[in-house]
Amino acid sequence: MLQKREKVLLLRTFHGRTLRIVREHYLRPSVPCHSPLCPQPAACRNDGKLLTSDVTHYVIPDWKVVQDYLEILEFPELKGIIFMQTACQAVQHQRGRRQYNKLRNLLKDARHDSILFANEFQQHCYLPRERGESMEKWQTRSIYNAAVWYYHHCQDRMPVIMVTEDEEAIQQYGSETEGVFVISFKNYLDSFWPDLKAAHELCDSILQSRRERENESQESRGKEYPEHLPLEVLEAGIKSGRYIQGILNVNKHRAQMEAFVRLQGASSKDSDLVSDILIHGMKARNRSIHGDVVAAELLPKDEWKGRTTALGESDNEDKASGESPSEPMPTGRVVGILQKNWRDYVVTFPSKEEVQSQGKNAQKILVTPWDYRIPKIRISTQQAEALQVDFRVVVRIDSWESTSVYPNGHFVRVLGKIRDLEGEIATILVENSISVVPFSEAQMCKMPVNTPENPWKVSPEEERERKDLRKTHLVFSIDPKGCEDVDDTLSVRTLNNGNLELGVHIADVTHFVAPNSYIDTEARTRATTYYLADRRYDMLPSILSADLCSLLGGVDRYAVSVMWELDATSYEVKKVWYGRTIIRSTYKLFYEAAQELLDGNFSVIEDIPEFKDLDEKSRQAKLEELVWAIGKLTDIARHVRAKRDRCGALELEGVEVRVQLDEQKNIHDLIPKEPLEVHETVAECMILANHWVAKKIWESFPHQALLRQHPPPHQEFFSELRECAKAKGFSIDTRSNKTLAESLDKANDPSDPIVNRLLRSMATQAMSNALYFSTGSCAEEEFRHYGLALDKYTHFTSPIRRYSDIVVHRLLLAAISKDKKMEIKENLFSNKELEELCRHINNRNRAAQHSQKQSTELFQCMYFKDRDPETEERCISDGVIYSIRTNGVLVFIPRFGIKGAAYLKNKDGLVISCGPDSRSEWQPGSLQRFQNKITSTTTRGDSVTFHLFDHVTVRISVQASRCHSDTIRLEIISNKPYMIPNTELSHQNPLLLKSELVKEVTKSVEEAQLAQEVKVETIQEEYQEYCQTKGRSLYLLLEEIKDLALLDVSNDYGV
Ligand SMILES: [Zn+2]
């Protein structure tokens, strides 16, 4: 029984124009109320999320409260929140898609105690708008009416509090209905949450910023920027080609001057433009902020400018000496913003002196974002005074009026002290939008237990459903020593028909993580495990990642397996089987031991615990069996690898990133030793499994499978690589992945292995990023993985630390059900949903890589900080020039894995000069840049030339910055390689391990804390409490860095 009504919506468009929309509207006798107090849950059809019973009242925010205070309503402490449909629609229409999506996600989030009540579809709640009644008044009246209905629906058993900003409504409805209270939001927080300090601070902050905005809009002041064009004009203009749509990307090294619009959508296909568009200066940027989607207009050709090729100094952006712009390029100005991409920003308040210089009576204060690309933000002085100046603080931007030079924002929370390790790590997390709140009790109590008193067991139902490999298959894992979270195991055996059977068995994470459960939602939000230089944040709680999902030796575990039947001699795939299994891994081997066995060195079994306590005879038999299996696996892997090589698989990962483990099992990053073959065996088996699973899920779900693509690189990105190689007499052929791989192999200078490494690193940086995508939104020829030379690829083998693999497991299991004509229980994502999820996961992976890089740089700076660069041995090192710029060179320091800029001209305009003893000094003179070298000539007539790949001696120091991260500074102190006392070249010097650097810095931080009588234990406790594990598995790190090779996270040094 539905009643039809007409609902008139008046929508305000982007530029204040009003649109009238009439919608048919059907009323029902009941809609889901989502309350556990509901007297007729069946009629209400209350499936899905319910409000908790554990509250003293329900709270119903008015539309304006939802619009303005959503970030407070997001606090997990606030429970029993009912969002009325009327309020949600007000957000959608007035605040835009981003804010509306935030609200929708909050409602979907099982961890947050809030529900949506569709009051406008409920026949007793719906109120038509009266003649002459304003939209705002009607919305408030509707929400109040629905609040009263809801109170009675729950049989008057739960008080309802409506919170509103409308004073009249408080007067009018405040005492109208017993049990339904109407109060202001501020009053609500004061009365019910007096101790929730963060919410109060945020509330004051928002109130104040709103008040000021209102005051300001009343003052009429001069315009600093042109008005943005209305949305409909922008959209029409983009369609006609008059405007260009793209993402604004600010050049970090000259943030005031240079930004680029990276073409997007229709603009990238239809226009003749091939390059980005330069946006020169703040005026032309017209209030758009890094990351915003903007519409830009091209300027006439005679106004085009070139990008800068000089090294920029971050703190002195626009005055870099020797600046020489390149060829003019398409240049434009921003005419409107299509989508704002504002996030939380970490800022630093000005020092006391700076505050005073801004004038005592200033209403606002300018705070400086940590990210150079973000403009300064205006915050009210009242808030600034309350804060100490030496903290890192989170702010949000509220608005940027055309009358204001800077955007307005409000204070959100304090992160920690400047230069304090924990404060700086927190900064890196916020800047990458990484939220790693501890797993909550609600999340943890849904987890299975495994304790000595209550051990976890294989269930009889699972035993029936799964293929049991425990007695039939020799399953084992090969990982770094000490690895806790084993996602993958292997098996190989000869079948009765003489064929071979190869098996890859992966942890069955989705058995424990149901779709949309608490843990699933949390894992999806995190999307990946985050590895910082000194710690990691797990995607899954440790009960899963290090215990029940981990395929440890000697215990029963659930797995998802791929098993191939192979021809015994040609290794051709005859059959493949996918399915759920039960396994018991016999050996948890470490790489070195497996390699020794492969090499026939059997004394290593003394180090393998599984061989202890065996009599000689069975020991011998078991050893033979295992050695055969490892040997067979390696042979199969060689064969599969050779097949990929013929198709042009790149060895890039090989030398650049296949990280090495040393005797202490530490990682040498960037150290080009020959890897153990057994690494490659394991990796190849995983690539094979990923490839076959990709094919399977794509065949079963051609429009909604999650795959991973690696697009071929743009040829123009290779020009630097080709030029550099030429300087050393090598020729790099970049026409295909195969020719690239082959020519890189040949570009090897036997006297200096660094040359090949640098060339490979340049090749890696020219690559596009490997990305997840949904097969429904991409043509099949674009599926290819260029780096691995495979037509289809996905991630299946690490579900413990990657959410993509969890999605892929569900797809694979659904595909198996489909084959068996069984009901598909997994709720699969539609193409559109999957596309959105892929975007999220890709974004989180970038964040993971950036945070890893930034935390490594933080530790590097801490390592060199407070050292006297004049006297300390660690501050002098050998470096290799790998790029020439107009005013300096880029240098790679192999010993520390640091890349940085060294200037040949200083701020006073003096140039570098090296005398007969090759020591450098600053002299008046000039620089001249050539293709592969740069010459510095003094006015006296001495000159020195630096060539690409020259070894020089550099001094490393730290350039401190209060508002931004510290940076490493390099200074060439001699044009000769660094000689250590025994006159060996220093690139043969022992290399400093990254882990040792981290260890040393951590130790000194802890000592400093001890000195201040701060308990060091708190750090340990925090890890316990947050259910995060400290330290990391080397294999995972290895995998992580391998993937990094396909991602450009290099510093671009201004170009
Ligand atoms: Zn109900």
Side-chain angles (χ1 to χ4, degrees):
M1 192 185 64
L2 299 176
Q3 294 174 23
K4 189 178 139 188
R5 287 273 192 290
E6 273 188 349
K7 189 184 172 195
V8 181
L9 284 172
L10 291 175
L11 301 186
R12 263 237 313 277
T13 61
F14 189 72
H15 210 63
R17 219 160 54 89
T18 308
L19 273 178
R20 188 186 152 89
I21 295 172
V22 182
R23 278 211 189 125
E24 285 186 354
H25 192 85
Y26 293 92
L27 299 178
R28 302 148 218 247
S30 51
V31 296
C33 69
H34 302 295
S35 168
L37 299 173
C38 178
Q40 65 245 117
C44 278
R45 287 208 241 156
N46 279 336
D47 46 357
K49 192 169 155 186
L50 285 188
L51 289 170
T52 164
S53 329
D54 181 27
V55 287
T56 57
H57 62 270
Y58 292 144
V59 56
I60 298 180
D62 195 6
W63 60 277
K64 181 86 173 138
V65 173
V66 181
Q67 279 184 359
D68 287 1
Y69 298 103
L70 185 60
E71 51 197 282
I72 301 179
L73 296 170
E74 282 172 3
F75 275 62
E77 289 88 349
L78 267 55
K79 290 184 174 173
I81 305 178
I82 301 163
F83 287 98
M84 293 294 172
Q85 179 191 9
T86 308
C88 297
Q89 281 169 358
V91 168
Q92 186 182 13
H93 298 146
Q94 301 287 324
R95 283 288 186 273
R97 208 183 61 185
R98 212 179 154 80
Q99 184 88 350
Y100 180 62
N101 281 344
K102 249 176 102 178
L103 176 57
R104 272 180 40 200
N105 288 337
L106 187 71
L107 284 162
K108 267 194 266 169
D109 193 335
R111 299 162 295 178
H112 193 263
D113 190 39
S114 60
I115 55 108
L116 170 72
F117 181 66
N119 62 308
E120 294 189 18
F121 293 125
Q122 213 290 332
Q123 64 187 34
H124 302 293
C125 289
Y126 178 72
L127 295 176
R129 202 165 134 197
E130 283 167 9
R131 225 164 229 290
E133 185 178 37
S134 75
M135 187 75 169
E136 287 79 11
K137 283 285 167 205
W138 171 76
Q139 286 170 344
T140 302
R141 189 162 65 90
S142 294
I143 290 171
Y144 174 71
N145 186 50
V148 173
W149 181 88
Y150 203 95
Y151 174 67
H152 294 316
H153 180 69
C154 296
Q155 302 176 306
D156 302 359
R157 281 157 62 195
M158 183 63 78
V160 168
I161 299 173
M162 171 168 163
V163 289
T164 178
E165 296 294 273
D166 183 340
E167 282 299 324
E168 272 178 41
I170 296 173
Q171 294 294 328
Q172 189 181 346
Y173 306 127
S175 48
E176 198 184 85
T177 314
E178 198 182 325
V180 180
F181 303 88
V182 183
I183 59 177
S184 76
F185 191 58
K186 180 93 184 105
N187 189 351
Y188 174 71
L189 285 182
D190 287 343
S191 316
F192 290 87
W193 302 98
D195 299 328
L196 202 54
K197 201 169 147 250
H200 284 271
E201 281 173 359
L202 202 47
C203 182
D204 292 342
S205 175
I206 293 167
L207 261 174
Q208 184 153 5
S209 128
R210 192 172 75 194
R211 239 176 264 139
E212 280 159 10
R213 224 165 38 239
E214 285 161 4
N215 288 342
E216 259 169 36
S217 64
Q218 283 158 13
E219 297 165 23
S220 61
R221 287 197 293 161
K223 288 219 164 117
E224 299 288 341
Y225 298 98
E227 286 298 333
H228 292 147
L229 297 175
L231 195 58
E232 36 293 35
V233 176
L234 295 178
E235 279 168 354
I238 288 163
K239 223 175 239 171
S240 74
R242 185 189 156 102
Y243 304 132
I244 297 130
Q245 177 180 336
I247 296 174
L248 187 86
N249 196 28
V250 175
N251 180 348
K252 171 179 165 190
H253 301 275
R254 24 196 82 247
Q256 295 294 312
M257 293 313 289
E258 258 182 32
F260 299 92
V261 172
R262 207 155 273 174
L263 303 187
Q264 199 201 27
S267 299
S268 63
K269 287 179 192 133
D270 302 341
S271 74
D272 316 327
L273 286 166
V274 283
S275 75
D276 296 344
I277 294 161
L278 174 66
I279 306 290
H280 192 265
M282 291 302 281
K283 204 95 181 178
R285 211 179 292 169
N286 195 0
R287 295 172 282 151
S288 52
I289 292 176
H290 177 77
D292 285 351
V293 180
V294 301
E297 180 182 45
L298 274 187
L299 297 173
K301 263 201 174 132
D302 57 339
E303 293 178 37
W304 288 9
K305 292 186 160 61
R307 63 169 82 204
T308 322
T309 53
L311 296 167
E313 282 191 78
S314 316
D315 59 337
N316 185 17
E317 272 137 23
D318 306 316
K319 288 167 238 141
S321 44
E323 183 172 318
S324 76
S326 63
E327 285 292 290
M329 63 182 289
T331 306
R333 65 184 186 98
V334 172
V335 293
I337 301 174
L338 298 156
Q339 194 192 322
K340 291 180 177 134
N341 256 326
W342 300 350
R343 53 172 176 87
D344 285 2
Y345 300 106
V346 177
V347 302
T348 310
F349 280 66
S351 65
K352 290 217 167 73
E353 305 82 72
E354 288 173 284
V355 175
Q356 277 155 9
S357 74
Q358 287 191 13
K360 266 226 149 60
N361 301 324
Q363 297 275 314
K364 292 271 186 174
I365 211 160
L366 281 176
V367 296
T368 309
W370 186 82
D371 185 342
Y372 284 103
R373 299 169 300 190
I374 308 302
K376 290 186 177 174
I377 300 167
R378 281 152 42 100
I379 303 279
S380 81
T381 41
Q382 247 169 306
Q383 289 176 10
E385 275 161 21
L387 291 162
Q388 292 179 34
V389 289
D390 48 354
F391 283 92
R392 300 267 186 240
V393 170
V394 179
V395 302
R396 276 177 207 170
I397 296 178
D398 298 310
S399 66
W400 195 347
E401 312 298 336
S402 59
T403 52
S404 169
V405 182
Y406 297 103
N408 289 309
H410 67 267
F411 156 83
V412 178
R413 69 195 153 100
V414 173
L415 278 183
K417 270 204 143 141
I418 298 174
R419 305 224 165 95
D420 173 68
L421 177 62
E422 294 306 315
E424 298 298 336
I425 291 283
T427 296
I428 290 171
L429 293 176
V430 170
E431 279 294 313
N432 289 289
S433 304
I434 297 171
S435 161
V436 280
V437 285
F439 293 103
S440 71
E441 243 170 70
Q443 289 165 342
M444 292 308 293
C445 75
K446 294 277 163 79
M447 286 289 96
V449 280
N450 189 23
T451 56
E453 308 82 58
N454 204 351
W456 178 85
K457 280 198 293 284
V458 166
S459 82
E461 302 88 75
E462 293 295 329
E463 217 155 29
R464 274 195 303 278
E465 299 281 321
R466 291 169 181 262
K467 191 178 254 190
D468 193 340
L469 310 181
R470 285 175 291 185
K471 296 211 173 71
T472 50
H473 286 65
L474 171 71
V475 174
F476 56 93
S477 61
I478 308 178
D479 285 291
K481 243 182 188 169
C483 175
E484 302 183 310
D485 30 13
V486 182
D487 315 80
D488 53 275
T489 52
L490 295 160
S491 69
V492 64
R493 60 172 189 162
T494 305
L495 299 173
N496 290 335
N497 64 6
N499 284 340
L500 287 169
E501 184 202 63
L502 168 68
V504 167
H505 316 281
I506 304 298
D508 190 358
V509 172
T510 60
H511 172 80
F512 297 98
V513 180
N516 296 321
S517 60
Y518 284 131
I519 289 293
D520 186 48
T521 315
E522 184 63 41
R524 186 160 62 219
T525 310
R526 295 184 183 206
T528 174
T529 290
Y530 294 91
Y531 299 88
L532 270 51
D534 66 330
R535 65 192 78 188
R536 75 167 198 247
Y537 296 98
D538 292 331
M539 182 179 82
L540 293 172
S542 60
I543 174 75
L544 296 182
S545 60
D547 189 358
L548 292 178
C549 291
S550 183
L551 306 176
L552 305 167
V555 289
D556 293 345
R557 287 290 179 259
Y558 296 149
V560 179
S561 303
V562 183
M563 293 196 273
W564 299 267
E565 189 173 329
L566 307 174
D567 182 273
T569 45
S570 70
Y571 298 147
E572 189 195 325
V573 176
K574 300 274 185 193
K575 259 191 230 162
V576 57
W577 181 89
Y578 307 88
R580 282 187 142 142
T581 51
I582 304 175
I583 61 162
R584 185 188 293 148
S585 169
T586 312
Y587 305 99
K588 185 170 173 286
L589 298 174
F590 51 98
Y591 279 116
E592 292 73 10
Q595 184 67 45
E596 295 284 325
L597 293 178
L598 186 62
D599 297 341
N601 190 355
F602 301 140
S603 60
V604 73
I605 60 169
E606 301 302 328
D607 297 339
I608 303 175
E610 290 88 344
F611 280 103
K612 296 221 168 85
D613 312 324
L614 286 179
D615 62 77
E616 191 49 40
K617 206 170 150 217
S618 48
R619 185 193 260 224
Q620 200 53 41
K622 290 205 164 247
L623 180 61
E624 262 169 42
E625 181 189 43
L626 178 61
V627 168
W628 178 85
I630 296 174
K632 205 54 164 175
L633 278 177
T634 303
D635 205 36
I636 296 170
R638 273 182 208 144
H639 183 85
V640 177
R641 168 80 208 195
K643 200 168 143 201
R644 279 201 306 118
D645 279 346
R646 283 197 295 278
C647 301
L650 283 172
E651 258 301 345
L652 290 177
E653 297 140 289
V655 176
E656 165 72 5
V657 257
R658 199 164 288 151
V659 242
Q660 281 305 296
L661 310 171
D662 70 352
E663 292 73 33
Q664 290 87 46
K665 309 295 166 279
N666 286 313
I667 274 190
H668 282 266
D669 40 349
L670 294 169
I671 293 178
K673 270 197 242 159
E674 275 311 302
L676 299 178
E677 185 172 20
V678 75
H679 285 144
E680 207 158 314
T681 300
V682 175
E684 203 58 47
C685 292
M686 297 307 135
I687 292 170
L688 188 70
N690 288 333
H691 172 56
W692 279 83
V693 169
K695 284 206 292 193
K696 177 74 190 167
I697 60 176
W698 168 71
E699 280 159 11
S700 299
F701 306 104
H703 302 296
Q704 54 191 118
L706 185 157
L707 299 192
R708 188 166 173 82
Q709 66 186 163
H710 183 220
H714 294 283
Q715 283 299 317
E716 61 266 28
F717 295 166
F718 281 128
S719 57
E720 188 176 5
L721 168 68
R722 279 193 297 258
E723 287 306 324
C724 287
K726 222 197 275 167
K728 274 275 169 185
F730 302 125
S731 142
I732 301 287
D733 184 346
T734 59
R735 279 173 302 176
S736 74
N737 46 1
K738 192 167 158 60
T739 59
L740 176 61
E742 285 166 0
S743 53
L744 274 173
D745 282 343
K746 286 188 206 130
N748 192 18
D749 179 350
S751 66
D752 190 357
I754 305 275
V755 173
N756 190 268
R757 282 171 60 198
L758 284 171
L759 291 175
R760 283 181 196 273
S761 139
M762 279 175 214
T764 307
Q765 280 169 24
M767 295 288 164
S768 320
N769 297 341
L771 292 168
Y772 299 110
F773 69 101
S774 169
T775 49
S777 34
C778 210
E780 197 185 332
E781 57 271 21
E782 291 168 29
F783 291 5
R784 274 191 70 76
H785 197 294
Y786 175 86
L788 295 174
L790 290 170
D791 58 348
K792 288 178 193 72
Y793 194 66
T794 193
H795 273 163
F796 161 74
T797 51
S798 285
I800 294 179
R801 64 171 188 110
R802 292 189 301 227
Y803 193 75
S804 52
D805 301 50
I806 290 186
V807 177
V808 167
H809 275 231
R810 289 184 187 140
L811 279 161
L812 178 64
L813 295 166
I816 295 166
S817 306
K818 198 177 168 191
D819 287 350
K820 293 184 186 156
K821 309 255 180 318
M822 277 159 52
E823 182 202 352
I824 295 177
K825 287 190 212 117
E826 291 76 18
N827 55 345
L828 299 182
F829 294 107
S830 68
N831 173 48
K832 227 179 139 60
E833 288 166 334
L834 188 59
E835 209 186 326
E836 201 171 310
L837 179 64
C838 287
R839 212 174 300 134
H840 166 73
I841 300 177
N842 288 332
N843 170 295
R844 292 295 80 205
N845 279 340
R846 261 190 301 272
Q849 274 140 2
H850 285 146
S851 59
Q852 187 177 51
K853 180 167 173 282
Q854 287 162 352
S855 66
T856 303
E857 286 166 354
L858 171 68
F859 273 87
Q860 285 171 342
C861 285
M862 291 177 92
Y863 183 77
F864 290 106
K865 202 159 184 169
D866 306 323
R867 303 285 164 171
D868 182 356
E870 300 295 330
T871 58
E872 289 227 25
E873 193 274 338
R874 68 167 65 178
C875 299
I876 309 290
S877 189
D878 191 58
V880 187
I881 295 172
Y882 71 94
S883 183
I884 309 277
R885 298 296 152 101
T886 52
N887 58 341
V889 293
L890 301 183
V891 177
F892 172 59
I893 302 174
R895 186 180 171 199
F896 301 111
I898 291 172
K899 284 179 177 174
Y903 293 89
L904 300 184
K905 189 175 208 173
N906 70 12
K907 282 181 187 165
D908 307 324
L910 302 176
V911 299
I912 200 165
S913 150
C914 297
D917 63 346
S918 72
R919 306 278 309 171
S920 71
E921 54 180 359
W922 296 107
Q923 293 283 339
S926 61
L927 294 178
Q928 200 180 1
R929 179 196 171 178
F930 303 93
Q931 179 82 56
N932 289 315
K933 60 182 184 184
I934 183 166
T935 300
S936 167
T937 312
T938 65
T939 46
R940 288 196 314 237
D942 313 326
S943 78
V944 56
T945 299
F946 296 92
H947 299 84
L948 214 49
F949 300 115
D950 275 357
H951 283 253
V952 292
T953 303
V954 289
R955 180 186 291 135
I956 306 163
S957 58
V958 174
Q959 182 165 13
S961 165
R962 206 175 74 86
C963 299
H964 309 281
S965 57
D966 292 345
T967 44
I968 293 278
R969 225 190 141 84
L970 304 180
E971 202 185 332
I972 296 177
I973 56 170
S974 155
N975 62 345
K976 290 279 176 311
Y978 176 55
M979 313 290 261
I980 51 169
N982 62 7
T983 67
E984 266 180 288
L985 287 185
S986 89
H987 61 259
Q988 291 155 346
N989 209 17
L991 296 130
L992 180 86
L993 310 180
K994 183 170 136 192
S995 56
E996 277 174 12
L997 184 148
V998 169
K999 221 184 288 165
E1000 183 176 330
V1001 172
T1002 311
K1003 206 175 112 208
S1004 62
V1005 166
E1006 285 174 357
E1007 277 165 7
Q1009 279 181 338
L1010 262 184
Q1012 291 169 20
E1013 292 182 322
V1014 177
K1015 274 189 210 147
V1016 188
E1017 288 82 7
T1018 53
I1019 298 176
Q1020 299 301 332
E1021 280 165 18
E1022 239 164 64
Y1023 281 100
Q1024 291 265 313
E1025 178 193 337
Y1026 289 8
C1027 304
Q1028 314 283 10
T1029 36
K1030 200 171 184 173
R1032 47 197 167 160
S1033 125
L1034 297 181
Y1035 174 68
L1036 294 187
L1037 192 67
L1038 188 116
E1039 284 282 296
E1040 190 78 19
I1041 296 173
K1042 192 198 276 177
D1043 226 34
L1044 196 66
L1046 302 178
L1047 254 147
D1048 180 10
V1049 289
S1050 62
N1051 241 328
D1052 55 3
Y1053 297 106
V1055 177

